[in-house]
Amino acid sequence: MIKKAASGIVAMAATAAVVSTPGIAQAQAMGQAAAATSCYAVADEPWYRSPSVYATGHIYCSPWADAEIKVTITANGASKGSTSTAYAAPHISDTAVAQNWSGNQEWCTVVSGTYYSGGNSYPVYDRACESAGF
């Protein structure tokens, strides 16, 4: 009788451990594969605030991932500045800034990056150009 009660308590404890363990650990305990990491880049349209033009880019990941982002601001296709950063998060962003000058240039935000999952690296990219004509 004592053995049955003890084995019943162990079984309940094991069940409780599986039920109370969140996320991937729970899925793996239940025999399911862990969710694959997926990331994508988003380039915001550049915006003007005298005397500078700003270009913001983002990388969104699900679930969290180690990622590197580089945001470049271009005018008429030529690079005018860039910035980069890297860390683990579901969302990272950065903003490049360039000095505006007289005349009408086509300003663009170029986002390039890499995210890391399962020992592999994957590139992400996006580009957006202004439509305001500043």
Side-chain angles (χ1 to χ4, degrees), residues 68-96:
E68 299 174 3
I69 185 174
K70 180 178 181 183
V71 180
T72 303
I73 186 168
T74 65
N76 299 330
S79 175
K80 297 300 176 184
S82 66
T83 184
S84 61
T85 190
Y87 52 90
H91 171 225
I92 62 174
S93 63
D94 211 342
T95 301

Side-chain angles (χ1 to χ4, degrees), residues 62-134:
S62 178
W64 284 49
D66 290 329
E68 299 174 3
I69 185 174
K70 180 178 181 183
V71 180
T72 303
I73 186 168
T74 65
N76 299 330
S79 175
K80 297 300 176 184
S82 66
T83 184
S84 61
T85 190
Y87 52 90
H91 171 225
I92 62 174
S93 63
D94 211 342
T95 301
V97 181
Q99 187 76 27
N100 194 15
W101 67 90
S102 63
N104 188 20
Q105 300 80 35
E106 180 188 44
W107 292 94
C108 297
T109 303
V110 179
V111 179
S112 58
T114 304
Y115 72 95
Y116 303 92
S117 177
N120 296 313
S121 62
Y122 303 93
V124 291
Y125 177 86
D126 195 28
R127 181 176 184 264
C129 297
E130 53 93 8
S131 58
F134 38 85

